[in-house]
Amino acid sequence: MTVGYICRYTPVKLLESMGVECRRIEPGYIDNEVAEALMHPNVCTYVKGVLSEVVRGGYDGIILVNCCDSARRLYDVLKNAKKDMMVYMLDLPRKSGDQAVAVYTGEIKKFVQAFADFYSKEFNVQDFKKYISIEKNAEQNNRPKMRKGISLAIMGARCSAYLVDLIKKAGADEVLNYTCTGDLLEYPPLFDKSAREQEMIEWYAGCLMRSIPCMRMADIDRRRDVLKDIMANVNGIVYHTIKFCEFYSYEYSYIKDNYHFPILKIETDFTSDSEGQLMTRVSAFVESLRGRDEIRKTLRKSGKKIVAGVDSGSLSTDVVILDEDYNILSYSVMPTGASIVESADRAFSQAIEKAGISRDDISFVVSTGYGRINIPFADKQVTEITCHGKGAYFLNNGVRTIIDIGGQDSKVIRLDDNGNVVDFVMNDRCSAGTGRFLEVMAKALEIPLEKMGEEAQKATEDINITSICTVFAESEVISLIAQNKKRADIVKGLHNSVASKTIGLLDRIGRKGAYMMTGGVAKNRGVVEAIEQKIGEKVYVPEEPQIAGALGAAILALQE
Amino acid sequence: MRWIKKSVNDPEKVRKLVVWGLMAEHVFFSLFGDKHVPKSFNYLNKIGVEFVLSPLVHSDQSAWVNLFAPTEILHAMDIYPLCIEAFSSFLVGFQCEDVYIDYAQRFGISDTLCSYHKGFIGAALTDLLPKPKFMITSSMLCDANISTFRYLSWYHHVPMYSIDVPFEYSSQSVSYLEGQLREMVKMLEQVTGKKMDEDKLKEVIKRENKTHAYMNRYIDVLRYKCHPTTLTLEMYMLFVTHTFMGTQQTLRFFEILMDEMESFPDSKAKRVFWVHIVPFYPHGLKRYFNYSQHYEVLGLDLNFDYLEEMDCDNPYRALAIKMILNHGNGPYQRKIGSIMNIIDRLQPDGVIHFCQWGCKQSVGGMMLLKQMLDERGIPFLALDGDGADRRNHHEGQVNTRLEAFLEMIGKRERCL
């Protein structure tokens, strides 16, 4: 029989010693139809995934712990929906003192009894002792090993095996999982071999409750001690949060505020959606950790005279062709459309044609952007973070902060005096404050995207677009249209909304001039002005703001 | 309001503006009041303002608490509680919640966190609020409680106590909780230098019992009588049913209310029972429910979450039992049972469940409540929104849903 569980405080080993297969539920998808019919869109995405998976079937029982609000309601909903199997929830105290351990011991005993009754199984303390001894020996092999290359710790909310793999694929040599799904947090002490059932369960409850606490627990001082150890042993931390789970944002804020240690915050819905964006961010983070010197070393190779950079973005594909003296021979900007490969081909051909050369003249191609791994003719892939930094610094070496608002994401990149990327932030999955946001709104307002900047100049009234989310903002815009508000005023309100979102992002890494704005949205004078007004400083916009990434890629190609 | 927004970086100035604003409101409700609502509700408005003002003015004798903290202990020790959810509501009243919420988010606090917490965190981080002497939170109902208080306690270096409220009722869980309350009192004594007089705590519990008795009578009378009120006042009721339960002022409020209630006319309105908090600012909601003779909000379930007689001779144990058996603690079926009980007593025409942004514990079980109400043939409406951040409220969408619901339960045409 197979029992599903979600929390590491679940007395799994006790069940396993009874011959029960315990499977930690790692949902790969969310069935929104099920999740929203039984719960609500705004519960934790992991819990929605678990609900989807359990409803689909494959489990003989579900053992939960009242770890969070969403899990508690998952219990209530499953209990009501799955009457044919055991749905049980253990009441786990948040403290770990003797009285709390006694309470949890009582809970576990009650659970074992209920489980044994429901499935006609027997708990035998000798079997449990035997099982624990075998398990303990196996665990010795799971400790952190010697550090080699770039070593990253993943902290925060539970992470899936998929996420660990993604971080490895993004270039990390070693990934240590310090979330509750990793096995790096438990250090069970020895037990007394003559212990009887009550003492053994008490011992086990103590082991569970006194391991390194998760953020749901009340006393988390030990997490802070562990944090120091982690920082001493890795190059950087990938801090994971799950949508609609807030426990961990507090710890992220604490680390960011108190330590100057490389940390990258990522938010997922626990499934494998948005892989492209995650990969870009983690790869850029790894690249920044490797250090510019090392990158230079690997890039240095003798080359011929002409190179190209291709930036395959979500809305446009841009190509820049450079000669060995860093002269831009030509560039092209094409809509990406449905096929990354085709649009890259078209943009590349157009740029070659403009430069009056043939494909064979190009000795090296670096691709960047969302689609960078799928450009068949590229020799190397580099993330757009590094490329934007490179391109922007080339265009104006006084720039220390780059604000790049593209079709699908917006980012702020901080450069040091030598043009190296030293920090960056990027929006999460949602498209608020990006080119896509403006595109949706332009459609709602029936105005061409490129005319928005001009239209905003005619504004006479201040309208505050308060919704942060693209979907909600669209309905807000529709309400404003219904209220007969002037289009110019709404457009200006939208520009201010994008600027606010951008400033929020900027303030996460701090303000430092001079500023440059790149990406398609930089062509919208209204947004640039709104940002300038908010930061009280001029923002430099290059002649063709969309090609900064491709230019950076071409410069990197030249250095090969 | 604009002054506050413009002065976020000058917390002293904002604090003065807030205190002056509250004092002006206090004077207004002491001298004049709102002519459209009964005397008792004007008194409630006056004491509500006092409750927020006192900890701001006497911060050296104040403690930050959440809505479900056992403040009876603080009342017995003459410590002023500042309820964080209440303060966030006042930020909404001052129309400046957005700047504080954004401030918290810039510090890395998740945007999906409950806005009542985000607003308060922002206000605390900007130093708008004077540092308290102590902080108390209970774990019940909401995950954010312990996290937010721990974060603020670190940030301000102010001692705090987290009360872990078990999910299930048992003699062991009651003892575990009682032990924590006693430990917390010792800590409070050390930090504040004040001594707990257990007789005073017993007095507080006695007043609480009297209040519970009044509240039970109130429910019985409410079934028939019209009580012209506002959404804001329904939220103010949380002061007297939670943070200031057991105080003289609370008892006084219910005394005046019950004196008046008998003389109110019988209600002819369509009546709605409200589950979870109610946002007090949306125009559509105010238009239908404030002072209305045609549609009435009978009350929020949160205001009736524990109405039992408490053992005043064992005050710590009584408080522990009260917390564990609060209808929002434990399995959702307990909450459904309690709501159905009140509904049986009040006989509303429909139930509205408000899905507060970030509140997983309430929205997660909503469909179970709907299922139960459907079985009983009681109309149900779910409204999504945010009581503490206007930006998450969508007037058009809420109005459409609300009006359709009111059409469904009838009488809409009379209101227009």
Side-chain angles (χ1 to χ4, degrees):
Chain A
M1 70 179 293
T2 306
V3 159
Y5 73 100
I6 62 171
C7 173
R8 75 181 170 88
Y9 290 100
T10 314
V12 168
K13 287 177 182 166
L14 210 137
L15 292 182
E16 285 172 344
S17 77
M18 291 160 79
V20 177
E21 189 201 332
C22 296
R23 194 189 304 156
R24 188 174 61 218
I25 305 176
E26 287 209 2
Y29 76 109
I30 296 168
D31 183 344
N32 280 316
E33 218 171 284
V34 169
E36 288 174 24
L38 295 176
M39 292 183 96
H40 188 274
N42 292 359
V43 297
C44 146
T45 47
Y46 170 71
V47 159
K48 283 198 277 189
V50 172
L51 179 66
S52 314
E53 179 146 336
V54 175
V55 167
R56 196 176 55 165
Y59 295 93
D60 303 304
I62 300 295
I63 312 304
L64 302 168
V65 167
N66 67 337
C67 32
C68 67
D69 290 339
S70 295
R72 276 195 288 280
R73 294 295 92 95
L74 173 70
Y75 164 75
D76 293 312
V77 167
L78 281 179
K79 185 106 185 139
N80 187 53
K82 298 294 253 181
K83 297 209 164 85
D84 54 333
M85 64 171 163
M86 186 181 202
V87 178
Y88 196 94
M89 185 165 74
L90 287 113
D91 184 11
L92 171 75
R94 287 170 183 77
K95 302 195 169 181
S96 54
D98 292 345
Q99 223 180 345
V101 172
V103 169
Y104 201 44
T105 304
E107 270 295 303
I108 295 179
K109 279 177 70 178
K110 209 166 75 185
F111 162 63
V112 170
Q113 192 58 51
F115 191 87
D117 290 348
F118 195 92
Y119 294 106
S120 309
K121 289 225 169 231
E122 277 293 314
F123 172 68
N124 182 312
V125 71
Q126 297 308 332
D127 291 348
F128 180 51
K129 282 187 207 168
K130 230 182 281 165
Y131 185 75
I132 285 278
S133 307
I134 301 164
E135 276 288 294
K136 270 170 67 64
N137 291 334
E139 265 176 23
Q140 302 306 318
N141 302 323
N142 292 328
R143 300 281 160 259
K145 300 181 185 75
M146 285 280 287
R147 178 171 156 185
K148 49 173 192 275
I150 294 293
S151 175
L152 291 182
I154 175 147
M155 291 184 68
R158 60 186 315 125
C159 91
S160 56
Y162 153 79
L163 189 55
V164 173
D165 284 347
L166 184 140
I167 297 172
K168 281 185 187 155
K169 265 194 244 161
D173 299 295
E174 185 184 34
V175 180
L176 301 171
N177 182 359
Y178 283 95
T179 75
C180 63
T181 57
D183 50 11
L184 298 167
L185 294 176
E186 290 170 35
Y187 302 101
L190 292 171
F191 59 86
D192 178 1
K193 290 210 167 82
S194 63
R196 280 182 290 196
E197 186 175 315
Q198 166 72 19
E199 288 132 25
M200 268 317 282
I201 293 181
E202 203 170 301
W203 169 84
Y204 186 43
C207 289
L208 291 172
M209 295 182 70
R210 286 171 183 155
S211 59
I212 311 299
C214 74
M215 284 294 281
R216 174 262 190 203
M217 301 303 261
D219 181 8
I220 54 159
D221 285 353
R222 283 183 63 212
R223 278 186 79 87
R224 285 204 264 172
D225 300 337
V226 174
L227 178 66
K228 284 177 197 147
D229 289 348
I230 293 173
M231 288 193 292
N233 285 305
V234 297
N235 301 83
I237 296 171
V238 175
Y239 204 93
H240 178 227
T241 60
I242 292 179
K243 195 88 187 158
F244 289 108
C245 165
E246 293 88 27
F247 280 125
Y248 289 93
S249 72
Y250 295 92
E251 188 176 59
Y252 166 74
S253 169
Y254 169 80
I255 299 173
K256 187 96 180 150
D257 235 30
N258 289 281
Y259 298 98
H260 294 287
F261 192 75
I263 183 164
L264 173 75
K265 184 181 177 223
I266 56 171
E267 183 161 275
T268 73
D269 64 3
F270 199 80
T271 68
S272 52
D273 287 356
S274 70
E275 175 171 337
Q277 206 226 30
L278 270 184
M279 185 64 101
T280 303
R281 296 173 67 188
V282 181
S283 304
F285 184 58
V286 173
E287 278 164 18
S288 71
L289 293 176
R290 278 198 199 284
R292 304 296 303 170
D293 286 341
E294 208 181 320
I295 289 174
R296 263 193 212 120
K297 245 185 268 165
T298 56
L299 288 179
R300 201 158 290 286
K301 241 180 162 186
S302 64
K304 288 185 191 167
K305 289 184 180 156
I306 303 171
V307 294
V310 182
D311 182 355
S312 169
S314 62
L315 287 187
S316 76
T317 302
D318 321 314
V319 174
V320 168
I321 301 202
L322 269 191
D323 72 8
E324 65 179 12
D325 300 321
Y326 294 91
N327 295 314
I328 299 177
L329 298 182
S330 69
Y331 68 83
S332 63
V333 177
M334 284 271 188
T336 298
S339 165
I340 283 173
V341 180
E342 266 175 40
S343 50
D345 239 6
R346 270 188 289 131
F348 197 56
S349 305
Q350 195 190 55
I352 286 169
E353 207 182 300
K354 272 196 198 168
I357 54 171
S358 76
R359 278 192 181 229
D360 297 341
D361 295 327
I362 298 200
S363 59
F364 205 86
V365 179
V366 170
S367 63
T368 186
Y370 268 87
R372 65 184 177 282
I373 18 180
N374 296 317
I375 308 298
F377 52 85
D379 302 294
K380 187 181 171 76
Q381 293 84 31
V382 180
T383 67
E384 57 266 39
I385 309 274
T386 305
C387 290
H388 267 95
K390 202 81 194 165
Y393 190 76
F394 175 80
L395 291 169
N396 180 346
N397 62 12
V399 167
R400 294 295 169 269
T401 304
I402 306 159
I403 299 167
D404 174 69
I405 310 186
Q408 193 155 302
D409 44 44
S410 49
K411 40 192 168 293
V412 178
I413 304 168
R414 166 64 36 78
L415 301 180
D416 67 10
D417 294 344
N418 301 314
N420 300 320
V421 174
V422 286
D423 200 357
F424 69 93
V425 281
M426 207 162 153
N427 67 319
D428 286 309
R429 300 182 58 197
C430 94
S431 60
T434 66
R436 177 80 194 139
F437 174 85
L438 287 175
E439 198 183 68
V440 171
M441 301 310 151
K443 215 170 265 172
L445 287 167
E446 296 177 329
I447 176 174
L449 189 58
E450 58 280 7
K451 295 270 184 215
M452 284 181 96
E454 200 182 303
E455 180 78 9
Q457 303 292 329
K458 298 180 209 155
T460 50
E461 188 193 345
D462 278 337
I463 291 183
N464 208 2
I465 309 282
T466 53
S467 301
I468 303 154
C469 160
T470 304
V471 181
F472 288 149
E474 189 184 1
S475 64
E476 196 175 338
V477 163
I478 290 165
S479 308
L480 288 167
I481 296 170
Q483 288 167 33
N484 213 14
K485 292 284 181 192
K486 252 175 68 188
R487 185 163 73 178
D489 297 332
I490 303 176
V491 170
K492 195 177 169 196
L494 288 167
H495 290 164
N496 275 325
S497 158
V498 172
S500 295
K501 182 85 185 163
T502 310
I503 298 301
L505 214 53
L506 170 64
D507 284 343
R508 276 165 61 187
I509 58 171
R511 299 183 185 190
K512 192 175 180 189
Y515 296 91
M516 179 188 280
M517 195 164 157
T518 61
V521 176
K523 285 183 173 171
N524 182 329
R525 197 57 223 156
V527 174
V528 179
E529 275 168 15
I531 292 175
E532 283 176 337
Q533 216 168 22
K534 285 188 195 286
I535 55 178
E537 219 175 298
K538 186 94 194 116
V539 173
Y540 173 78
V541 180
E543 201 178 319
E544 180 41 84
Q546 263 174 295
I547 62 161
L551 176 62
I555 294 168
L556 287 171
L558 207 52
Q559 290 169 352
E560 282 287 331
Chain B
M1 288 108 192
R2 283 197 181 163
W3 294 339
I4 295 181
K5 282 197 187 184
K6 278 186 185 159
S7 314
V8 172
N9 296 323
D10 185 354
E12 290 287 333
K13 188 174 165 190
V14 177
R15 199 182 307 161
K16 272 186 199 155
L17 287 169
V18 168
V19 169
W20 289 341
L22 291 172
M23 282 176 167
E25 195 178 344
H26 188 252
V27 169
F28 176 81
F29 281 99
S30 304
L31 297 177
F32 313 107
D34 180 348
K35 290 191 178 60
H36 303 289
V37 298
K39 204 170 91 190
S40 50
F41 283 106
N42 275 316
Y43 177 73
L44 174 65
N45 214 325
K46 187 185 97 151
I47 59 175
V49 175
E50 266 171 33
F51 291 152
V52 173
L53 204 46
S54 301
L56 296 181
V57 178
H58 308 288
S59 57
D60 58 332
Q61 294 168 60
S62 74
W64 290 351
V65 298
N66 69 324
L67 188 64
F68 298 96
T71 38
E72 289 89 340
I73 287 170
L74 298 180
H75 302 319
M77 293 176 80
D78 296 321
I79 297 168
Y80 299 106
L82 178 70
C83 172
I84 70 161
E85 293 92 342
F87 190 79
S88 290
S89 291
F90 275 79
L91 289 178
V92 179
F94 286 120
Q95 298 187 20
C96 63
E97 77 278 14
D98 53 345
V99 289
Y100 292 101
I101 287 169
D102 289 349
Y103 199 93
Q105 287 178 184
R106 281 208 287 277
F107 264 68
I109 297 299
S110 173
D111 56 355
T112 58
L113 177 69
C114 162
S115 305
Y116 286 94
H117 282 253
K118 281 187 294 190
F120 192 84
I121 291 173
L125 295 182
T126 56
D127 292 328
L128 186 168
L129 292 158
K131 272 193 202 182
K133 258 293 195 248
F134 199 70
M135 301 184 193
I136 299 173
T137 184
S138 75
S139 66
M140 57 200 274
L141 264 85
C142 156
D143 283 340
N145 289 326
I146 288 184
S147 301
T148 294
F149 278 82
R150 186 167 55 203
Y151 181 79
L152 295 176
S153 157
W154 281 344
Y155 188 83
H156 277 319
H157 304 288
V158 170
M160 72 167 284
Y161 195 89
S162 298
I163 304 167
D164 179 20
V165 182
F167 200 64
E168 297 282 357
Y169 176 83
S170 69
S171 62
Q172 196 177 29
S173 67
V174 173
S175 302
Y176 170 55
L177 183 45
E178 189 185 342
Q180 292 181 63
L181 295 179
R182 288 183 188 278
E183 188 181 52
M184 181 184 86
V185 168
K186 272 191 202 139
M187 221 172 137
L188 261 172
E189 286 179 333
Q190 269 173 8
V191 173
T192 61
K194 295 186 176 190
K195 268 276 174 243
M196 167 58 98
D197 175 353
E198 205 165 310
D199 287 336
K200 252 179 119 176
L201 183 59
K202 287 177 185 171
E203 285 305 312
V204 173
I205 303 290
K206 274 183 199 160
R207 273 198 296 272
E208 180 157 3
N209 277 337
K210 280 188 198 164
T211 309
H212 283 174
Y214 273 124
M215 287 175 73
N216 274 308
R217 270 182 56 204
Y218 168 65
I219 293 170
D220 294 335
V221 179
L222 192 59
R223 176 166 175 180
Y224 304 102
K225 297 287 182 182
C226 163
H227 79 310
T229 177
T230 65
L231 299 175
T232 311
L233 285 165
E234 285 301 323
M235 286 295 280
Y236 266 61
M237 286 281 272
L238 289 167
F239 277 126
V240 287
T241 58
H242 288 80
T243 315
F244 292 88
M245 177 55 93
T247 60
Q248 288 287 6
Q249 295 99 313
T250 293
L251 186 58
R252 179 85 195 113
F253 162 69
F254 278 103
E255 278 168 2
I256 307 174
L257 179 65
M258 287 319 296
D259 279 351
E260 283 185 308
M261 200 79 180
E262 304 285 354
S263 62
F264 291 168
D266 284 351
S267 174
K268 293 193 175 74
K270 283 286 169 188
R271 316 173 95 202
V272 168
F273 187 66
W274 196 279
V275 179
H276 209 44
I277 59 110
V278 58
F280 58 79
Y281 61 83
H283 300 298
L285 291 180
K286 286 200 295 196
R287 188 159 63 101
Y288 281 103
F289 294 120
N290 280 6
Y291 316 118
S292 173
Q293 307 276 315
H294 305 290
Y295 297 102
E296 253 184 273
V297 170
L298 282 170
L300 318 183
D301 74 309
L302 283 171
N303 281 319
F304 306 111
D305 56 2
Y306 190 77
L307 296 171
E308 305 305 314
E309 169 98 19
M310 295 165 72
D311 178 3
C312 50
D313 293 328
N314 292 298
Y316 291 103
R317 200 163 184 81
L319 287 171
I321 293 171
K322 176 188 168 188
M323 292 171 89
I324 295 174
L325 289 181
N326 181 292
H327 88 199
N329 192 47
Y332 198 81
Q333 286 303 334
R334 183 189 290 166
K335 180 169 168 175
I336 293 180
S338 160
I339 290 174
M340 295 320 281
N341 183 347
I342 299 276
I343 283 177
D344 284 342
R345 294 172 69 183
L346 287 176
Q347 298 285 317
D349 297 294
V351 171
I352 296 182
H353 185 292
F354 186 71
C355 301
Q356 165 66 25
W357 175 256
C359 186
K360 270 87 61 182
Q361 63 87 17
S362 64
V363 301
M366 180 195 77
M367 294 308 284
L368 295 174
L369 177 64
K370 182 182 186 315
Q371 193 184 347
M372 177 59 92
L373 291 167
D374 284 350
E375 279 169 24
R376 297 273 294 269
I378 301 169
F380 174 86
L381 171 72
L383 286 181
D384 289 280
D386 196 331
D389 188 350
R390 283 181 171 75
R391 294 170 298 181
N392 290 331
H393 169 74
H394 308 289
E395 187 73 22
Q397 205 185 58
V398 166
N399 285 351
T400 306
R401 288 199 218 174
L402 177 71
E403 286 173 18
F405 182 69
L406 296 179
E407 278 165 6
M408 204 165 87
I409 63 173
K411 280 206 178 168
R412 177 173 175 265
E413 63 285 355
R414 285 200 202 170
C415 187
L416 297 174

